Amino acid sequence: MADVRLAEVSKWFGGVRAVDALSLEVAQGEFLSLLGPSGCGKTTVLRLIAGFLDPTAGEIFIRGRSMARVPPFRRSIGMVFQNYSLFPHLNVYDNVAFGLRIRKIGHRTLHEAVTEALKLVRLEGIEAVERRFPHELSGGQQQRVALARALVIRPEVLLLDEPFGALDKKLREQMQLELKGLQREIGITTIFVTHDQEEALILSDRVAVMRAGRIEHLGPPAEIYERPRTRFAADFIGRSNSFQGRVVRDAGPGALLHTDEGLAIKVPEELPEGPAEVLLRPEQIAISATAPTSGADTVVAGTVADVMYLGTHVKYDVRIGTKLVEVFEQNVGGGPKGRYAPGDRVVLSWRSADLLCPRE
Amino acid sequence: MAGSIAERVYHLKRSRWSVLAGVLPILSVYVALLVIPMLLLGQFSLYRKLTGEMGQVVLIREVSLANYAKFLASPFYFRILKDTLVMALTVTGLCVLLGYPVAFSLSRARRWKGILYLLVLAPFFVSVVIRTYGWMVILGHNGLVNWLLLASGLVTAPVPLIYNYTGILIGVTHIMLPYMVITLEAVLRKIDRSLIEAAQGLGANPWQAFSRVIFPLSLPGLVAGSLLVFALSVSIFTTPSLMGGGRIHLMSTIIYEETMGQVNWPSGAMLAWVLLVTTLAVLGLSQLAARRFEWRR
Amino acid sequence: MDGRDGLGMAFSRRTFLKSAALGLGVVAGDRAGLARGGEVDDTSELVVGVWGGAIPKILKKTVIPDLEARYRCKVYVKEGTGGDRMAILRANPRNPAFDVVHLADGEAIPLIKEGILEEPSARVIPEFADLYPVAQISGYGQGLSDVGIAYSPQKVKERPTSWLDLWNPAYKGHVVIPSMKTTQGSSFLPALAKVLTGDQRNVEAAKRKLLELKPSILAYHRGTSHALTMLEQGDAWISVTIGAYVYQARDKGQPVDFVRPKEGSFSLIWFIDIARHTRHRTLAREYVRLALQAKAQRAFAEEMYLGPSNRKIALSGKVAELAVYGQQEIDRLINLDWMFIEGQRPSWIQWWNQHMV
């Protein structure tokens, strides 16, 4: 049974549909990310679940109970905010103890729970950390306190609203790993809002790609990346080359896409005839000087227009006729900066099976 | 080496003299218009005034503490000082009670904020005399309030609301309310709304969220507003002298009267100093108390 | 001690200079010396200190334009209370902020004794000789009026006849009497003493009687307009104040009436005084003379019901009847000893503050 269920939930602000008849089920212990650009409604969904907003239509269930007319303070949720929202007038200990004191937990139990929560978020070792005030903590430490404060009340659902947005990259990656580990350890159902696709892919069991108040694609990270259901999902996650044109089925096997730039590309057979667009991830394209690599069923020649060194890989912009194609090549050896220079003639090859053909 | 000395002098100049230069204009105004006059008053408070048989005023320029001795020995002055402090404290309390809800709604308002702000500030736009006459119309024997009380059957005879202590409290509270509201609102507005949500998410109902988060965080504003209101109320003159109907004495009215009416400048100066020292003592004590609520972000 | 320096009368020269430097005393040294040696008499401007209301309005129609026309000068009118004017003059007697001040009753007496205001004299103002004696006491009397009982006929059904009607329990909570800090107030006490004991100096009897009135008091008024406002608003029913002003209010339609109690109303005389150290002596004297001459005297009578102070002015009709007019009527008033009042006033105020407030 789903731990959190949204049934046809809509939220209108004035005439704007921030959330549009959205349905979603989150399983017990699942880590689900709501991913999308700003304004897509992902934070609104989170706030609807938390109860800070009431849905205009539809219903929300937590553990099978309808949340209609249940105020936030009667829902069993733990929320971590983008800016942590620690109480500035309370020290770390009192911040974490806040929810327990509201629940009138006895002193001894409270102390044990707070100590345990601080330990859980790896804050127990720091000198006199309990007595420090939020402004005396680093961003990462504040984040841990916010997490401890949310978890100590043992909520049914953990809601996180872009919790790592304010951290630098290194710290963010560390916190991501810790969060994932923590979530697995206590097995809490978690809904995570982010606009960072990488973060969503790393952390989630499932990712919901959102756009204009609706879910475009809901699925495991690999599926989201490799078989995006919509053009938007494909575009939002990772990079891709787009080929637009008409699909023509000739006498021979398979189908060909005659692109607007005058190329003819082999495309999967299931594509119907008529106007179409296919996408191709830059890292799925092989680049070589002459001979096509084995396994590829599409080979085109082009000229290197630009080279960009990116550390883990090298990015080429290759001109094929009038079209620029983006190619990533893994940086494997300690060789010079890229093997090809602008103006070099190269051959690109790929498997037509790797082409992404989103429904829309 | 010369360069480094010049550099050091430069830095010294920057650190000390630039600060001094920055505050010098305001400091000189402060000294000229406040410190020197207060010291002069202090000097005057040590003199004595005699009255000739036809009311001539004679100033005895001999230094003595006679005026202060007079104050300490006089239950009359003590009562006025007590009444003044009680009035100012009551006004402060009323401003907290009446001002907090206003400041709170104002800090949460969005669409009508400008108009609400204007309404809060409205008392400042009307001269104190006109405002007081307004109160006379509203609070008088045949005024609106008494009319409503009579019509509703709550009282059988008009209640005296003006030309007494009640009148002074109403008038002074009315004037002081904006100071409290503005000071409080500035602090309340800065309290992050997500803190309320954080509290609610942790199980706090709206009242608990207010009492455990909003209220403690608004304490600096509450303290600042109260100090401001208290300091201003203690020395307020026009409103009490108009609303009190000449029947209630406060320190400000007695100072005016000793100075202008009785031409007893030494006594007036002494009372002004007593009021100053008392007010500073009260403010100092409350500052000490307020330290405990201090927090930094 | 000739009291020449006012507040600074006991000043040594050293403290005198110090106080001047400190801004509270007198303008010291050369300027004052110059004034003493060759007196400055500038005829370009004159500063007059007066109350607000009807008096400056009439002055601006009579005395002031006439003076300005004759000397091509500018007359500045500064409105305020008598107490303010006296305090300002006392703060700086040698460089007076006013050349001419309007004061009531005996207010000017201490300042004349302190050498801040001039002694009135027929040598400088010929019209002084024509004034009724009551108008010669503390300066140049400019108008006569009296203080009696003002009441609201809507609230007070039976027209009062005696001062003692103020003690009528039916008016409890609605009686307004003048504050001791006003001239009306400091005259009320000895006037009451006269009514009660026949001796205006027997103020102890009057004080006891006033304490009996205390529970009936709504408020103490700071002047006639204040009393009239409270009467108009219905909070005050009965009050002690100046007849001339009550008549003016009645003419404007305010439901208020005035009665001269059978024991006699008490006088309230309006004076003009010249600052002793004025630098505009000619203008100041001319101003006073114009105020004592027929045009102004008649205007004050007709527009304000102020009785003429000048014996040569004759009135008739309604004005003659309502204003305090003629020696006979003056004699019927309770005429007070202002020298006594001014000497006692501080102690009365002290008593007032402690027992009546």
Side-chain angles (χ1 to χ4, degrees), chain B residues 10-27:
Chain B
Y10 174 74
H11 282 298
L12 193 72
K13 269 186 180 167
R14 270 173 69 91
S15 57
R16 298 230 182 103
W17 298 110
S18 68
V19 169
L20 191 62
V23 298
L24 202 59
I26 188 72
L27 197 67

Side-chain angles (χ1 to χ4, degrees), chain A residues 110 202 251 345:
Chain A
L110 180 138
I202 293 170
R345 300 218 26 105

Side-chain angles (χ1 to χ4, degrees), chain B residues 19-278:
Chain B
V19 169
L20 191 62
V23 298
L24 202 59
I26 188 72
L27 197 67
S28 49
V29 169
Y30 199 73
V31 168
L33 297 182
L34 191 74
V35 176
I36 291 179
M38 275 322 285
L39 290 176
L40 270 172
L41 277 185
Q43 184 194 17
F44 252 86
S45 72
L46 301 173
Y47 297 155
R48 264 178 312 140
K49 171 244 182 186
L50 293 182
T51 306
E53 60 177 8
M54 284 180 204
Q56 308 97 300
V57 173
V58 185
L59 189 71
I60 309 294
R61 292 195 161 233
E62 286 168 9
V63 172
S64 83
L65 290 170
N67 287 313
Y68 292 93
K70 180 180 79 174
F71 179 87
L72 291 174
S74 160
F76 167 66
Y77 285 135
F78 258 103
R79 205 187 63 219
I80 292 175
L81 182 63
K82 192 199 82 195
D83 286 353
T84 307
L85 294 176
V86 167
M87 183 277 289
L89 284 172
T90 313
V91 165
T92 309
L94 286 172
C95 281
V96 169
L97 290 178
L98 298 171
Y100 205 106
V102 177
F104 190 77
S105 349
L106 199 59
S107 71
R108 293 292 176 264
R110 284 187 191 161
R111 196 171 303 175
W112 300 102
K113 190 151 194 154
I115 291 166
L116 287 175
Y117 231 101
L118 214 63
L119 282 176
V120 167
L121 292 175
F124 289 147
F125 302 143
V126 185
S127 100
V128 67
V129 177
I130 292 173
R131 186 169 36 191
T132 308
Y133 276 98
W135 277 118
M136 288 177 180
V137 171
I138 290 170
L139 299 176
H141 197 70
N142 299 336
L144 183 71
V145 174
N146 267 317
W147 181 81
L148 284 172
L149 286 173
L150 287 169
S152 64
L154 284 171
V155 297
T156 51
V159 184
L161 295 169
I162 197 165
Y163 310 129
N164 54 23
Y165 195 68
T166 315
I168 292 182
L169 283 184
I170 293 172
V172 178
T173 304
H174 181 218
I175 293 174
M176 291 302 153
L177 205 52
Y179 293 102
M180 177 63 85
V181 170
I182 290 166
T183 317
L184 253 181
E185 199 269 340
V187 173
L188 281 169
R189 186 180 29 187
K190 279 196 213 134
I191 298 176
D192 195 335
R193 213 175 281 223
S194 71
L195 292 180
I196 305 175
E197 292 182 348
Q200 293 201 338
L202 293 167
N205 62 34
W207 167 249
Q208 289 169 321
F210 173 79
S211 64
R212 290 173 185 240
V213 179
I214 305 293
F215 185 73
L217 286 176
S218 70
L219 274 175
L222 205 62
V223 169
S226 299
L227 292 182
L228 189 64
V229 167
F230 179 82
L232 289 171
S233 313
V234 138
S235 56
I236 192 165
F237 172 72
T238 316
T239 304
S241 59
L242 291 175
M243 297 287 280
R247 294 175 57 200
I248 311 283
H249 265 312
L250 297 175
M251 286 302 277
S252 58
T253 57
I254 197 84
I255 290 169
Y256 174 82
E257 193 191 298
E258 301 245 334
T259 310
M260 300 295 277
Q262 304 215 44
V263 206
N264 195 342
W265 295 4
S267 183
M270 174 276 290
L271 291 170
W273 262 90
V274 168
L275 180 61
L276 178 75
V277 169
T278 316

Side-chain angles (χ1 to χ4, degrees), chain C residues 37-322:
Chain C
E39 183 169 287
V40 177
D41 186 11
D42 169 31
T43 57
S44 65
E45 59 170 58
L46 185 74
V47 181
V48 176
V50 66
W51 303 273
I55 294 181
K57 222 168 98 188
I58 297 171
L59 289 171
K60 282 172 190 166
K61 285 197 286 193
T62 55
V63 177
I64 292 170
D66 291 353
L67 187 69
E68 286 180 337
R70 194 171 304 170
Y71 287 90
R72 294 176 186 282
C73 63
K74 176 70 196 154
V75 177
Y76 297 95
V77 175
K78 294 206 171 139
E79 296 183 6
T81 69
D84 290 348
R85 286 195 284 287
M86 293 191 287
I88 290 166
L89 284 175
R90 276 177 164 133
N92 217 341
R94 290 194 166 272
N95 187 20
F98 303 103
D99 302 300
V100 172
V101 284
H102 289 251
L103 293 168
D105 288 356
E107 279 180 329
I109 293 173
L111 284 95
I112 294 171
K113 297 290 172 207
E114 289 165 31
I116 293 169
L117 299 175
E118 270 186 6
E119 289 265 11
S121 154
R123 273 185 296 125
V124 293
I125 309 284
E127 289 77 4
F128 183 68
D130 300 330
L131 300 180
Y132 294 106
V134 283
Q136 292 178 323
I137 297 174
S138 65
Y140 304 97
Q142 163 259 319
L144 315 179
S145 63
D146 62 337
V147 176
I149 293 175
Y151 65 100
S152 160
Q154 293 168 340
K155 307 280 187 183
V156 175
K157 295 299 173 201
E158 204 172 322
R159 186 174 163 88
T161 57
S162 161
W163 284 111
L164 299 177
D165 286 338
L166 292 169
W167 279 260
N168 185 334
Y171 310 145
K172 193 168 177 189
H174 302 285
V175 179
V176 169
I177 62 171
S179 161
M180 185 57 76
K181 299 137 206 173
T182 65
T183 44
Q184 295 180 45
S186 54
S187 293
F188 183 47
L189 189 70
L192 190 59
K194 177 93 190 266
V195 169
L196 294 169
T197 68
D199 176 8
Q200 60 175 283
R201 289 178 181 249
N202 193 353
V203 291
E204 289 311 313
K207 284 178 181 173
R208 281 194 296 275
K209 192 70 181 168
L210 276 183
L211 285 173
E212 286 174 32
L213 189 59
K214 197 178 168 187
S216 293
I217 299 292
L218 169 73
Y220 302 121
H221 74 71
R222 294 180 311 276
T224 308
S225 64
H226 187 205
L228 287 169
T229 305
M230 288 190 270
L231 282 167
E232 184 166 26
Q233 282 162 355
D235 291 279
W237 294 358
I238 187 164
S239 182
V240 173
T241 194
I242 304 167
Y245 280 91
V246 179
Y247 294 138
Q248 291 168 53
R250 197 178 63 178
D251 286 353
K252 285 180 190 151
Q254 187 178 333
V256 65
D257 208 347
F258 180 76
V259 65
R260 294 190 168 123
K262 60 178 190 246
E263 301 92 343
S265 52
F266 61 85
S267 60
L268 195 145
I269 317 288
W270 307 82
F271 286 93
I272 309 179
D273 285 275
I274 298 174
R276 180 171 172 147
H277 295 286
T278 173
R279 283 139 200 243
H280 311 99
R281 197 166 300 282
T282 305
L283 289 180
R285 287 176 179 169
E286 199 59 31
Y287 176 92
V288 173
R289 291 193 64 189
L290 284 168
L292 303 184
Q293 288 166 8
K295 184 177 173 186
Q297 292 271 306
R298 285 194 180 284
F300 277 107
E302 278 155 21
E303 294 184 37
M304 277 188 70
Y305 299 105
L306 286 193
S309 56
N310 190 329
R311 281 178 302 189
K312 291 184 172 166
I313 311 296
L315 297 181
S316 62
K318 182 186 170 196
V319 173
E321 186 195 320
L322 295 181

